[in-house]
Amino acid sequence: MTSFVSTRGRATEVGFIDALLGGLAADGGLHVPAAWPEMSARWIAALPGRPYADVAADILGCFAGDEIDPAALSDMCWRAYGGFDHPAVAPLRQLDAGAFLLELFHGPSLAFKDIALQLLARLAVHALERRGRRMTIVCATSGDTGGAAVEAFAGLDHVRIVALFPEGRISEVQRRFMTTSPHDNVACLSVAGDFDDCQELLKGMFGDRAFVSDVGLAAVNSINFIRIIAQSVYYFTAAAALGAPERAVSFVVPTGNFGDAFAGWAAHRMGLPLARILAATNRNAIVARALEDGAYVREAAAATMSPAMDIQVASNFERLFFECAGRDGAATAAAFKAFARTGRLTLPHDILTPMRTLFRAASVDEAETAATMDRVRQASGILIDPHTAVAVAAAARADLAAPRVILATAHPAKFPEAVRAATGAAGPVPRPVARRARLAERVTPIAADAGAVKAFVRDFAG
Ligand SMILES: *Cc1c(COP(=O)(O)O)cnc(C)c1O
């Protein structure tokens, strides 16, 4: 069994279920495993042809240990991925001679967040039932986490879910995946602010220990480490399909909060040979600047056509910092507390260098994103969404060894306006989108004010 320590080094270790149900570690840091499991080369070589759910159960099992019965875990994995509309769950599709799209949008909300959240919901309900507890999930979303979380948790016993999203900054399709849920354990707050305000509100709630225990506060954002583990699974399946462990594959990851990119690092740390991970950002390029210049500097978030990446504080970057700082919790705490105050952090050479053994980064502007959607459609007939396009554009610029796997994080039908504007085309409207276009929305507008949001959550939690 793995226990979990904090990136800030001062919280007591917790087990799998506490990491699953909790949010930030007690010292304000993020959970990371006390020791990383190692997947053997033989296990990796045997992956092609195995069901995705079984691979997920193997990896999750390394972390859950005896806290979750292996048969129950396997059953949860099968149920989590049984609802996906592709039997491979995360299929590869060839884009050109050396590049493949890894389609991560075959779940119920048509975005890659489903892959982690469908599983997380089942694990959480399992744990809550065992502990006889209830929980209130507050989810700050830049667009897709909210929809995936609502899909995963709506109508479940023991759970309430409040989605906070930045008013006017997400697409209508994204919004409707949250606001049209008929279940009364779901509430949606449209916050007068940007995504970073939403994330700050959430962090503020976790900073109030009394509030956390009163409402049973839990997080499903990628500060939740179990999400990272669930996302590391498709790095293994995709790389193995393309020849790992013999061949080292490169991945290109559309990046916002750095959870998905860190999941790639985690897969590598667990034994998967990788050539390179390229973190691709839109013009909200804090991660790109950090990895290329060592300057992790917060700026104002700009609205783009890839809103799930309109982020200026990439929470998971703290995890990479901790790992590359030789797991020095005191140094990580000092760095990120200073960053919270000043909005800037200069990465020392001895931390940036290990980061760059695996990572490179690039940022892509709006014009190039649109041109890339159009170019891909002309060249291959494939429609890609703006987030995926950011990664395809970054990959085209970078010098990456083949095979290159580009994570396709959302279905193009989630961003029909941007896709049509860029390509003149719109693919068929998938059934889940068409159905939600006809349903009434339930949403409460609210100020970006910690007191107001806490009062709402307290009331809703009952
Ligand atoms: C969340 C999201 C991302 C960014 O992922 P991070 O883990 O936050 O870096 C990219 N694309 C889409 C479509 C997303 O929903």
Side-chain angles (χ1 to χ4, degrees):
M1 185 196 99
T2 310
S3 56
F4 293 84
V5 297
S6 166
T7 51
R8 299 199 182 176
R10 305 201 44 174
T12 46
E13 292 191 14
V14 299
F16 182 83
I17 288 179
D18 285 315
L20 166 72
L21 298 180
L24 289 174
D27 60 1
L30 302 174
H31 292 305
V32 283
W36 289 93
E38 303 273 347
M39 312 310 286
S40 70
R42 253 182 75 197
W43 180 86
I44 295 168
L47 291 179
R50 288 189 64 199
Y52 188 91
D54 284 350
V55 180
D58 279 3
I59 294 175
L60 268 289
C62 291
F63 291 92
D66 55 9
E67 281 194 70
I68 297 184
D69 167 59
L73 180 60
S74 165
D75 182 56
M76 285 185 263
C77 291
W78 277 90
R79 282 188 287 124
Y81 299 118
F84 279 55
D85 72 7
H86 195 291
V89 179
L92 286 165
R93 179 173 189 185
Q94 191 145 16
L95 186 62
D96 59 39
F100 297 80
L101 293 172
L102 177 57
E103 293 184 346
L104 301 175
F105 50 70
H106 289 280
S109 78
L110 312 182
F112 90 96
K113 308 284 197 297
D114 288 325
I115 294 190
L117 289 175
Q118 283 294 314
L119 185 55
L120 197 73
R122 287 167 173 85
L123 288 163
V125 168
H126 178 85
L128 289 168
E129 276 172 0
R130 253 191 16 207
R131 293 198 171 175
R133 265 174 54 189
R134 288 161 40 112
M135 74 177 184
T136 303
I137 294 165
V138 179
C139 163
T141 180
S142 55
D144 289 327
T145 298
V150 168
E151 277 300 318
F153 289 97
L156 297 184
D157 294 335
H158 315 285
V159 181
R160 284 169 200 286
I161 172 157
V162 179
L164 305 179
F165 63 84
E167 166 89 64
R169 296 284 189 103
I170 65 176
S171 81
E172 176 175 352
V173 176
Q174 286 181 311
R175 192 184 70 235
R176 284 181 167 275
F177 268 101
M178 294 182 265
T179 57
T180 61
S181 173
H183 296 280
D184 60 11
N185 70 330
V186 177
C188 298
L189 296 180
S190 103
V191 175
D194 61 21
F195 172 69
D196 291 307
D197 294 321
C198 295
Q199 194 157 250
E200 273 312 307
L201 287 164
L202 179 63
K203 284 190 180 156
M205 282 181 238
F206 275 108
D208 179 343
R209 303 308 294 173
F211 182 80
V212 169
S213 75
D214 287 353
V215 305
L217 189 65
V220 293
N221 286 80
S222 51
I223 60 174
N224 190 309
F225 189 75
I226 312 309
R227 247 181 82 166
I228 305 286
I229 306 170
Q231 290 171 208
S232 72
V233 174
Y234 46 74
Y235 285 90
F236 280 102
T237 58
L242 295 173
E246 265 69 54
R247 211 156 42 147
V249 176
S250 299
F251 282 86
V252 187
V253 187
T255 294
N257 226 343
F258 203 67
D260 216 2
F262 186 74
W265 184 92
H268 182 59
R269 179 67 188 74
M270 288 187 271
L272 181 66
L274 293 179
R276 178 81 65 232
I277 298 177
L278 179 66
T281 70
N282 64 27
R283 37 196 271 252
N284 297 292
I286 181 165
V287 166
R289 286 190 304 266
L291 290 171
E292 289 303 301
D293 308 326
Y296 187 69
V297 178
R298 177 180 178 152
E299 293 176 354
T304 72
M305 68 180 108
S306 49
M309 302 172 2
D310 290 350
I311 283 170
Q312 280 295 332
V313 178
S315 303
N316 282 285
F317 197 66
E318 180 169 335
R319 289 191 164 111
L320 182 67
F321 184 101
F322 172 76
E323 296 289 353
C324 292
R327 309 201 114 203
D328 182 339
T332 308
F336 284 87
K337 281 182 186 163
F339 174 78
R341 266 195 330 273
T342 63
R344 44 193 325 126
L345 167 58
T346 303
L347 299 173
H349 187 69
D350 59 346
I351 293 179
L352 184 57
T353 303
M355 287 180 174
R356 287 177 58 87
T357 59
L358 189 59
F359 284 104
R360 290 291 185 277
S363 95
V364 175
D365 68 19
E366 295 288 275
E368 197 180 348
T369 304
T372 302
M373 284 192 268
D374 194 38
R375 177 173 62 76
V376 168
R377 173 166 180 264
Q378 309 248 2
S380 62
I382 300 174
L383 282 181
I384 55 173
D385 98 289
H387 303 78
T388 307
V390 166
V392 172
R397 254 200 253 145
D399 179 25
L400 293 174
R404 297 175 289 276
V405 177
I406 296 156
L407 272 50
T409 47
H411 192 291
K414 276 198 106 166
F415 303 93
E417 297 85 2
V419 171
R420 196 177 303 108
T423 66
V429 179
R431 213 175 317 133
V433 174
R435 188 161 58 76
R436 282 173 183 79
R438 294 190 299 267
L439 297 174
E441 296 188 81
R442 284 189 303 141
V443 58
T444 306
I446 200 159
D449 173 77
V453 174
K454 270 162 124 175
F456 181 95
V457 172
R458 198 181 277 282
D459 188 50
F460 186 67

